[in-house]
Amino acid sequence: MDYTDRLRRLAINDERLAVVEFDDPSASGRLDPKALALARVAALVAVGGAEPSFGAQIDAAISAGSTAAQVVDVLVGIIPVVGLPRVVAAAPKVALALGHDLEIDVVEFGAEEPR
C-alpha cells in the first residue's frame, strides 16, 4: 500500500490500518526503527508525555542506534514547532531516561537552587 492509500485510510479512521501499524510499526517499511523511535520521542514532547513513556521510547531509540546527543538534538530541533515550554518540561524526563538527574547536575554546576 503506498503512502496515499495509507493517508486516505488515516483520514477516514480506518481501524485496520492503525492496528497493523501499531502492532508492527516496521510493516510500512518507510521509516527505520531509529527514525521511528526519535519521531516518537518528539511526539511525546509535543503531547506532554509521562515519564515512563519517555523511558520506553528513549530505550527504543538507543537500542535502534540513536545516541544521547541525537535525542537531545531532537528536543532542540522541535522547539520552533512545539515551543520552548514543552521542551523545558520534557527535558528532565528525557534526562532521567538517559540516566541523568538534572537537579543534581544543576547543583554540581554551582547554581544556588535546582530549577
Side-chain angles (χ1 to χ4, degrees):
M1 166 180 352
D2 72 5
Y3 80 93
T4 57
D5 291 331
R6 293 170 71 220
L7 189 57
R8 281 187 195 102
R9 289 175 185 261
L10 287 170
I12 63 169
N13 194 21
D14 184 339
E15 293 177 10
R16 293 173 296 169
L17 178 68
V19 170
V20 169
E21 298 281 331
F22 184 76
D23 288 342
D24 184 7
S26 65
S28 68
R30 308 301 193 272
L31 288 178
D32 62 84
K34 178 180 168 181
L36 181 60
L38 290 172
R40 288 179 171 173
V41 170
L44 284 172
V45 175
V47 300
E51 191 173 304
S53 298
F54 278 96
Q57 289 307 316
I58 289 173
D59 285 349
I62 299 297
S63 293
S66 297
T67 65
Q70 289 173 323
V71 171
V72 174
D73 287 346
V74 166
L75 296 183
V76 173
I78 63 173
I79 290 171
V81 177
V82 302
L84 186 58
R86 286 268 186 200
V87 173
V88 169
K93 298 172 190 176
V94 170
L96 284 174
L98 292 171
H100 300 284
D101 185 345
L102 291 184
E103 288 190 19
I104 291 172
D105 291 346
V106 169
V107 171
E108 288 177 0
F109 281 119
E112 292 178 15
E113 292 182 27
R115 293 183 237 176

